[in-house]
Amino acid sequence: MSEGDRPELRELRERLDRGSDAQRPEAVARRKKKGFRTARENLADLLGTGAFVEYGAQAVAAQRRRRDYEELQRETLGDGVITGIGEVNGEYFSVDERRAALVVYDYSVLAGTQGFFHHAKIDRLLSIAARQSLPVIMYTEGGGGRPGDTDVTTQIAGLNVDTFASWASLDTGMPRIVVNNGYCFAGNAALFGAGDIRIATRASNIGMAGPAMIEGGGLGSFRPDEIGPADTQWRNGVIDILVDNEADATAMARRVLWYFQGDVCPGAAQDQTPLREALPEDRRWGYPVRDVIERLFDADSFTELRRVFGRSVVTGLARLDGRAVGVLASDCQQLGGAVDSEASDKASRFLNLCNRTGLPVISLVDTPGFMVGPDSESEAAVHRMSALFESAASLRVPILAVFLRKAYGLGAMALVGGSFAVPHFAAAWPTGEFGGMGLEGAVRLGFRKELEAVSDPKGRQKLFDKLLAELYDKGKALEAAAHLEIDAVIDPADTRDQLIHALYRQS
């Protein structure tokens, strides 16, 4: 008898085959009917040619008391989730750098619900990720907790599982990347929401409770597709990156992980001279700051996060001469660049991500400061804007500041670490202008008596313009540099080179 014919090896092969797509045609057909891929297809696409070592493949649902064991092996093998250590982006990185902990929920098995052994598999993998400082990519599609695991007789509510605490507290210096397609409710949504970078397809519905729980709570009857649709969760900041389908989501997961796996060869640099004309001559006009970002960093290396949430601030990942960095930028085409409560939340969360994962931050500033007024205060501005200061002041990674134009008040300070003295390098373009508050407001507030003393409206406007011009001259970038409030005033075309040298010198 050859080794290949030994009965124990045949049993192993048969058991492993039961978990393959080929042995589950009906489940696969249901996925295809919805236009979705299987969990194994997403996993294979994520890995490419990379190796994968699976953990817990032989687990079945803890339902031996109520279901035949053979049936459980056919219908619940893996207990609704695939876990293991795989190699991602192997074409760019060494074996150690390409390793990642992978958790792929399988909706075709018990709707991806979370059972006893299901949790045990994830807990095991997260403990390995913690010990080995691995990034985690998790696909979260599923229906939340599963009440039918009757084999567990030592639990009442089952709320003593470690999964959620382990996931929320996981701090390996690497990101937790989550990907969702389809329904993601209750416990699955809690895992998605706790991810560092959250990617979802347009077919996603993400909610802290599914239809049954909502109706059971007396809150009405809803279809699953009415709960947390992707468009809503994109606008409110729950989703960082919205894509069309699972293939795009998987490609994006690989791309996002790429920023955290190490340096790569310096990317192509675009011609920097157009930056000299990037800002309009009239300081009151806006301009597309994303054009500045795309030109400044390595070509095609910028990936934006939470684009439609907190729109006066742009956050994203990029590479500068092959090195990954976090990018924080004012968008003066939104609220004039004023940092409102949503933008504060967005910037704060982004700085926390960079801090945990060791990414240096490049901050491009053009802001009149924090958004103020009664409407702003009704959005908890004091709390949310102060939280941005806390995140900024807690940075352990280098932050480099470039003041493109306006840099006024507390809002400008918060975008560069809490003070202009914090950045490792603080430079301004010649268009930079500085002040404790917006110049127009400073004139109206500081020279109210002088302005009120002029009864003629034309004369009053003339005085206003004169005072404004004087303040502008005093607050120009060259004067700020002369008083050592910033380190340098630079030619916009030199910005990339200056940042590269400053970053490597200070890191």
Short mmCIF file of all heavy atoms in Angstrom, two decimals, residues 236-267:
data_model
loop_
_atom_site.label_atom_id
_atom_site.label_comp_id
_atom_site.label_asym_id
_atom_site.label_seq_id
_atom_site.Cartn_x
_atom_site.Cartn_y
_atom_site.Cartn_z
N ASN A 236 -21.40 59.32 6.30
CA ASN A 236 -21.22 59.63 7.72
C ASN A 236 -19.87 59.20 8.28
O ASN A 236 -19.62 59.32 9.48
CB ASN A 236 -22.36 59.04 8.56
CG ASN A 236 -22.37 57.52 8.57
OD1 ASN A 236 -21.37 56.88 8.30
ND2 ASN A 236 -23.51 56.94 8.90
N GLY A 237 -18.98 58.70 7.42
CA GLY A 237 -17.62 58.41 7.84
C GLY A 237 -17.37 57.01 8.36
O GLY A 237 -16.23 56.70 8.74
N VAL A 238 -18.39 56.14 8.39
CA VAL A 238 -18.17 54.76 8.82
C VAL A 238 -17.26 54.04 7.83
O VAL A 238 -16.40 53.24 8.22
CB VAL A 238 -19.52 54.02 8.96
CG1 VAL A 238 -19.30 52.52 9.11
CG2 VAL A 238 -20.29 54.56 10.15
N ILE A 239 -17.43 54.30 6.55
CA ILE A 239 -16.62 53.69 5.50
C ILE A 239 -15.51 54.65 5.10
O ILE A 239 -15.77 55.81 4.79
CB ILE A 239 -17.50 53.33 4.28
CG1 ILE A 239 -18.54 52.27 4.65
CG2 ILE A 239 -16.65 52.85 3.12
CD1 ILE A 239 -19.58 52.03 3.57
N ASP A 240 -14.28 54.16 5.11
CA ASP A 240 -13.13 54.98 4.70
C ASP A 240 -12.98 55.01 3.18
O ASP A 240 -12.64 56.04 2.61
CB ASP A 240 -11.84 54.43 5.31
CG ASP A 240 -11.77 54.62 6.81
OD1 ASP A 240 -12.13 55.71 7.27
OD2 ASP A 240 -11.39 53.69 7.52
N ILE A 241 -13.17 53.85 2.55
CA ILE A 241 -12.99 53.73 1.11
C ILE A 241 -14.16 52.94 0.54
O ILE A 241 -14.40 51.79 0.96
CB ILE A 241 -11.67 53.02 0.76
CG1 ILE A 241 -10.47 53.76 1.37
CG2 ILE A 241 -11.49 52.89 -0.76
CD1 ILE A 241 -9.14 53.03 1.21
N LEU A 242 -14.88 53.53 -0.39
CA LEU A 242 -16.03 52.88 -1.02
C LEU A 242 -15.64 52.44 -2.42
O LEU A 242 -15.10 53.23 -3.20
CB LEU A 242 -17.22 53.84 -1.07
CG LEU A 242 -18.53 53.29 -1.65
CD1 LEU A 242 -19.09 52.19 -0.75
CD2 LEU A 242 -19.56 54.42 -1.82
N VAL A 243 -15.92 51.17 -2.74
CA VAL A 243 -15.57 50.62 -4.04
C VAL A 243 -16.79 49.93 -4.65
O VAL A 243 -17.82 49.75 -3.99
CB VAL A 243 -14.40 49.61 -3.93
CG1 VAL A 243 -13.13 50.31 -3.46
CG2 VAL A 243 -14.75 48.46 -3.00
N ASP A 244 -16.66 49.51 -5.88
CA ASP A 244 -17.81 48.97 -6.60
C ASP A 244 -18.13 47.53 -6.24
O ASP A 244 -19.29 47.15 -6.15
CB ASP A 244 -17.58 49.08 -8.11
CG ASP A 244 -17.67 50.51 -8.62
OD1 ASP A 244 -18.35 51.33 -7.96
OD2 ASP A 244 -17.04 50.82 -9.64
N ASN A 245 -17.12 46.69 -6.07
CA ASN A 245 -17.38 45.25 -5.92
C ASN A 245 -16.26 44.59 -5.12
O ASN A 245 -15.30 45.24 -4.70
CB ASN A 245 -17.53 44.60 -7.29
CG ASN A 245 -16.36 44.91 -8.21
OD1 ASN A 245 -15.20 44.78 -7.82
ND2 ASN A 245 -16.65 45.37 -9.43
N GLU A 246 -16.39 43.27 -4.93
CA GLU A 246 -15.43 42.53 -4.11
C GLU A 246 -14.03 42.50 -4.73
O GLU A 246 -13.03 42.52 -4.00
CB GLU A 246 -15.93 41.11 -3.88
CG GLU A 246 -17.13 41.03 -2.95
CD GLU A 246 -17.75 39.65 -2.95
OE1 GLU A 246 -18.46 39.32 -3.92
OE2 GLU A 246 -17.51 38.90 -1.98
N ALA A 247 -13.96 42.43 -6.05
CA ALA A 247 -12.65 42.45 -6.69
C ALA A 247 -11.93 43.76 -6.41
O ALA A 247 -10.73 43.78 -6.08
CB ALA A 247 -12.80 42.23 -8.20
N ASP A 248 -12.66 44.87 -6.52
CA ASP A 248 -12.07 46.18 -6.22
C ASP A 248 -11.71 46.28 -4.74
O ASP A 248 -10.68 46.88 -4.38
CB ASP A 248 -13.04 47.29 -6.59
CG ASP A 248 -13.24 47.43 -8.09
OD1 ASP A 248 -12.41 46.89 -8.85
OD2 ASP A 248 -14.23 48.07 -8.51
N ALA A 249 -12.55 45.73 -3.88
CA ALA A 249 -12.29 45.79 -2.44
C ALA A 249 -11.02 45.01 -2.08
O ALA A 249 -10.21 45.45 -1.26
CB ALA A 249 -13.48 45.24 -1.67
N THR A 250 -10.86 43.86 -2.70
CA THR A 250 -9.67 43.05 -2.44
C THR A 250 -8.41 43.74 -2.95
O THR A 250 -7.37 43.77 -2.28
CB THR A 250 -9.83 41.67 -3.07
OG1 THR A 250 -10.98 41.02 -2.49
CG2 THR A 250 -8.61 40.80 -2.84
N ALA A 251 -8.50 44.31 -4.15
CA ALA A 251 -7.36 45.07 -4.69
C ALA A 251 -7.02 46.25 -3.78
O ALA A 251 -5.84 46.55 -3.56
CB ALA A 251 -7.68 45.55 -6.10
N MET A 252 -8.04 46.90 -3.24
CA MET A 252 -7.80 48.03 -2.35
C MET A 252 -7.19 47.57 -1.03
O MET A 252 -6.33 48.25 -0.45
CB MET A 252 -9.10 48.79 -2.09
CG MET A 252 -8.93 50.06 -1.27
SD MET A 252 -7.73 51.24 -1.98
CE MET A 252 -8.65 51.78 -3.45
N ALA A 253 -7.61 46.41 -0.52
CA ALA A 253 -7.01 45.88 0.70
C ALA A 253 -5.52 45.63 0.51
O ALA A 253 -4.70 45.94 1.39
CB ALA A 253 -7.72 44.60 1.13
N ARG A 254 -5.16 45.06 -0.63
CA ARG A 254 -3.74 44.85 -0.93
C ARG A 254 -3.01 46.19 -1.01
O ARG A 254 -1.90 46.34 -0.48
CB ARG A 254 -3.57 44.11 -2.25
CG ARG A 254 -3.94 42.64 -2.22
CD ARG A 254 -3.34 41.90 -3.41
NE ARG A 254 -3.73 42.51 -4.68
CZ ARG A 254 -4.79 42.16 -5.40
NH1 ARG A 254 -5.58 41.18 -4.95
NH2 ARG A 254 -5.07 42.75 -6.54
N ARG A 255 -3.62 47.17 -1.68
CA ARG A 255 -2.97 48.48 -1.83
C ARG A 255 -2.78 49.17 -0.49
O ARG A 255 -1.70 49.71 -0.20
CB ARG A 255 -3.80 49.36 -2.76
CG ARG A 255 -3.22 50.76 -2.96
CD ARG A 255 -4.03 51.57 -3.94
NE ARG A 255 -3.59 52.96 -4.03
CZ ARG A 255 -2.62 53.42 -4.83
NH1 ARG A 255 -1.98 52.58 -5.62
NH2 ARG A 255 -2.29 54.70 -4.85
N VAL A 256 -3.80 49.15 0.34
CA VAL A 256 -3.69 49.82 1.64
C VAL A 256 -2.62 49.16 2.50
O VAL A 256 -1.81 49.84 3.16
CB VAL A 256 -5.07 49.81 2.34
CG1 VAL A 256 -4.93 50.20 3.79
CG2 VAL A 256 -6.03 50.75 1.63
N LEU A 257 -2.58 47.83 2.51
CA LEU A 257 -1.56 47.13 3.29
C LEU A 257 -0.16 47.49 2.81
O LEU A 257 0.78 47.60 3.60
CB LEU A 257 -1.78 45.62 3.21
CG LEU A 257 -0.78 44.76 3.99
CD1 LEU A 257 -0.80 45.09 5.47
CD2 LEU A 257 -1.04 43.28 3.75
N TRP A 258 -0.02 47.71 1.51
CA TRP A 258 1.27 48.03 0.87
C TRP A 258 1.96 49.22 1.53
O TRP A 258 3.19 49.25 1.62
CB TRP A 258 0.98 48.30 -0.60
CG TRP A 258 2.08 48.83 -1.45
CD1 TRP A 258 3.16 48.14 -1.93
CD2 TRP A 258 2.18 50.16 -2.00
NE1 TRP A 258 3.93 48.96 -2.73
CE2 TRP A 258 3.35 50.20 -2.80
CE3 TRP A 258 1.39 51.30 -1.92
CZ2 TRP A 258 3.75 51.34 -3.49
CZ3 TRP A 258 1.78 52.44 -2.60
CH2 TRP A 258 2.95 52.46 -3.37
N TYR A 259 1.21 50.17 2.04
CA TYR A 259 1.81 51.34 2.68
C TYR A 259 2.51 51.00 3.99
O TYR A 259 3.40 51.74 4.44
CB TYR A 259 0.75 52.41 2.97
CG TYR A 259 0.15 53.03 1.74
CD1 TYR A 259 -1.11 52.64 1.28
CD2 TYR A 259 0.83 54.02 1.04
CE1 TYR A 259 -1.68 53.22 0.15
CE2 TYR A 259 0.26 54.60 -0.10
CZ TYR A 259 -0.98 54.19 -0.53
OH TYR A 259 -1.54 54.76 -1.65
N PHE A 260 2.11 49.90 4.62
CA PHE A 260 2.60 49.60 5.96
C PHE A 260 3.62 48.46 5.99
O PHE A 260 4.12 48.11 7.05
CB PHE A 260 1.42 49.23 6.86
CG PHE A 260 0.39 50.32 6.99
CD1 PHE A 260 -0.69 50.38 6.12
CD2 PHE A 260 0.52 51.30 7.95
CE1 PHE A 260 -1.64 51.39 6.22
CE2 PHE A 260 -0.41 52.31 8.06
CZ PHE A 260 -1.49 52.36 7.19
N GLN A 261 3.94 47.89 4.84
CA GLN A 261 4.81 46.72 4.81
C GLN A 261 6.29 47.06 4.65
O GLN A 261 7.13 46.18 4.72
CB GLN A 261 4.37 45.77 3.69
CG GLN A 261 3.02 45.11 3.97
CD GLN A 261 2.53 44.26 2.81
OE1 GLN A 261 2.13 44.78 1.77
NE2 GLN A 261 2.58 42.96 2.98
N GLY A 262 6.62 48.32 4.42
CA GLY A 262 8.01 48.71 4.30
C GLY A 262 8.25 49.67 3.16
O GLY A 262 7.33 50.00 2.40
N ASP A 263 9.47 50.15 3.05
CA ASP A 263 9.84 51.06 1.97
C ASP A 263 9.92 50.30 0.65
O ASP A 263 10.19 49.10 0.62
CB ASP A 263 11.19 51.72 2.27
CG ASP A 263 11.14 52.64 3.49
OD1 ASP A 263 10.03 52.98 3.92
OD2 ASP A 263 12.22 52.99 3.98
N VAL A 264 9.70 51.02 -0.43
CA VAL A 264 9.87 50.47 -1.77
C VAL A 264 10.82 51.38 -2.54
O VAL A 264 11.24 52.43 -2.05
CB VAL A 264 8.51 50.37 -2.49
CG1 VAL A 264 7.58 49.41 -1.76
CG2 VAL A 264 7.85 51.73 -2.65
N CYS A 265 11.16 50.98 -3.76
CA CYS A 265 12.02 51.82 -4.58
C CYS A 265 11.35 53.17 -4.79
O CYS A 265 10.12 53.24 -4.93
CB CYS A 265 12.29 51.15 -5.92
SG CYS A 265 13.26 49.64 -5.80
N PRO A 266 12.12 54.25 -4.78
CA PRO A 266 11.53 55.58 -4.98
C PRO A 266 10.63 55.62 -6.21
O PRO A 266 11.00 55.13 -7.28
CB PRO A 266 12.75 56.48 -5.15
CG PRO A 266 13.82 55.79 -4.36
CD PRO A 266 13.58 54.33 -4.56
N GLY A 267 9.44 56.17 -6.03
CA GLY A 267 8.50 56.25 -7.13
C GLY A 267 8.83 57.41 -8.06
O GLY A 267 9.62 58.30 -7.72
#
